[in-house]
Amino acid sequence: MCIPRPSFALGRRLESTALHFYQNRQLELYAARETKRLTLRQLVFFGRSMNEDRIVKSANYVRTELPVRIAHRLRDLQALPYIVVTQEGVAKVYELYWSAFEKFRRYPVVTTIAENEKFCQFVAQLLNEHATVIPNLYLGLSLSSPYLAPDQLDSFMRRMLISRISRRVLAEHHIALSEAYAGTRAQESHVGIISTALDVGGCIRRCIDLLKSRSLQDAKGWPQVVIDGHLTCRFPYIREHLEYIIFELLKNAMDATRHRHASSDSLPPINVTVAEGPDDVGIRVSDQGGGGLLNSSCAVKSPEDLFSFSHVRNATRLDDSRLVALRTVSSSQEGLRATVGEQVARWKQDGETDNVALQGSHPKIGIGLPMSNIFATYFGGSLELVSLDGWGTDVYLRVPKLGTNLEGIEV
Ligand code: COI
């Protein structure tokens, strides 16, 4: 009897099924491993005195740890309803993660400084390729909001975002350590990407200056920002993370104040208080922008809902203008800028209107507050909003000072 050979197309399909089966098996193996979470203090202690052996060790930690962390998130994506994974944005992130997972998994062991240089180039390229992950995820999950229960959507997004921050911290920290060891990056008061004595008052002042450099259509100007409290406070932290949050909080406070007092002659000040405790650094931002987070026009019922990705909790998630802005950023090569300085440089270059799409914390995209919350909680801090409706808003940021908390990622 003559058994017909499978057609070429069928052969290709079988081959690809076998490949997927094999790849999925690899994914399962990696996803079954536990992540090796670190504390900020461990990152500082390890990076303080580098030699060839430690650079190579750091490279291999990143090489083996990142695919495990990515595998966990790929499994999360696979567990979503099919209609969600096929949404614009989500599918793109899924592909990016598969590709990065495969590349890391196959990357050979790093044994020398020369090999590490190549490894750093490889990691830097991936960091770049993944620049649009966040807007793509926001777009895809906003579109998927009708298909997911709010708790499921919010916990999924939290795991995705915090894990992404963690991977980028490990990758960027290793590159920074390698560059410092090679003498191509100044490491004054830094270990890798961590500032060893971050000047909190300096961060606040820098954010104020950047925000006030925005152009205005009227002569009213920006509200004054009064800083008080423990202004000499310094502690080890990642400057970009702290500044991202402060920048976002101050921007909201300034915009609300200008809006609320649009018809009066003067603007009430914004007060920023720094409180250094034995374990934490607290920062309170108080404005007189009218509060009203919870009033009916604001589409949220509790302050925490502002952090939510679900349209059930925060109706603005499905606003057309947000979706349009998200589409623009998702398809740009730039994605969202990593640091406040970079964001503002871009902002000035593009002018006020384009900034709608490119400025990570712009309300039209609605990324700033939820991302600030994620940044705050990554090493165990918190962000709390209290609205005094009719008067203003107080925001309380708390960041652990000792660096002893493990990264807040979930396995
Ligand atoms: C990300 O940015 O999403 C990453 O996972 C970065 C990593 C591939 C280096």
Side-chain angles (χ1 to χ4, degrees), residues 66 70 97 100 104 123 126-127 130 133 164 167-168 171:
L66 261 53
I70 295 173
Y97 281 5
F104 270 113
V123 176
L126 280 177
L127 282 168
H130 283 231
V133 159
R164 179 180 192 257
R167 293 191 304 271
R168 291 184 83 88

Side-chain angles (χ1 to χ4, degrees), residues 279-309:
D279 301 325
D280 299 319
V281 176
I283 300 176
R284 180 184 58 200
V285 179
S286 305
D287 68 53
Q288 294 175 41
L293 297 171
L294 312 182
N295 72 26
S296 54
S297 64
C298 232
V300 296
K301 295 187 191 61
S302 82
E304 287 69 38
D305 286 353
L306 287 169
F307 303 145
S308 178
F309 303 95

Side-chain angles (χ1 to χ4, degrees), residues 211 214 216 222-223 249-261 270 289 347 361-363:
L211 282 162
R214 289 184 290 174
L216 285 173
W222 296 107
L249 302 183
L250 281 170
K251 185 176 72 63
N252 288 347
M254 282 187 183
D255 292 347
T257 304
R258 275 177 50 81
H259 185 71
R260 170 77 170 178
H261 299 273
I270 293 164
W347 188 346
S361 46
H362 197 284

Side-chain angles (χ1 to χ4, degrees), residues 89-90 92-94 96-97 126-140 157 160-161 164 167-168 329-330 332 334-336 367:
V90 185
K92 181 164 179 198
V93 171
Y94 186 71
L96 277 170
Y97 281 5
L126 280 177
L127 282 168
N128 213 21
E129 281 171 16
H130 283 231
T132 57
V133 159
I134 291 188
N136 271 294
L137 262 183
Y138 268 74
L139 174 63
M157 276 300 264
M160 292 298 282
L161 294 172
R164 179 180 192 257
R167 293 191 304 271
R168 291 184 83 88
V329 196
S330 309
S332 82
E334 302 279 342
L336 292 177
I367 284 181

Side-chain angles (χ1 to χ4, degrees), residues 233-288:
C233 170
R234 284 176 159 72
F235 74 114
Y237 210 67
I238 301 172
R239 194 186 85 181
E240 283 72 17
H241 289 195
L242 189 66
E243 285 190 353
Y244 184 102
I245 306 169
I246 295 173
F247 184 86
E248 172 62 24
L249 302 183
L250 281 170
K251 185 176 72 63
N252 288 347
M254 282 187 183
D255 292 347
T257 304
R258 275 177 50 81
H259 185 71
R260 170 77 170 178
H261 299 273
S263 54
S264 52
D265 293 336
S266 60
L267 298 172
I270 293 164
N271 288 87
V272 181
T273 307
V274 179
E276 183 175 6
D279 301 325
D280 299 319
V281 176
I283 300 176
R284 180 184 58 200
V285 179
S286 305
D287 68 53
Q288 294 175 41

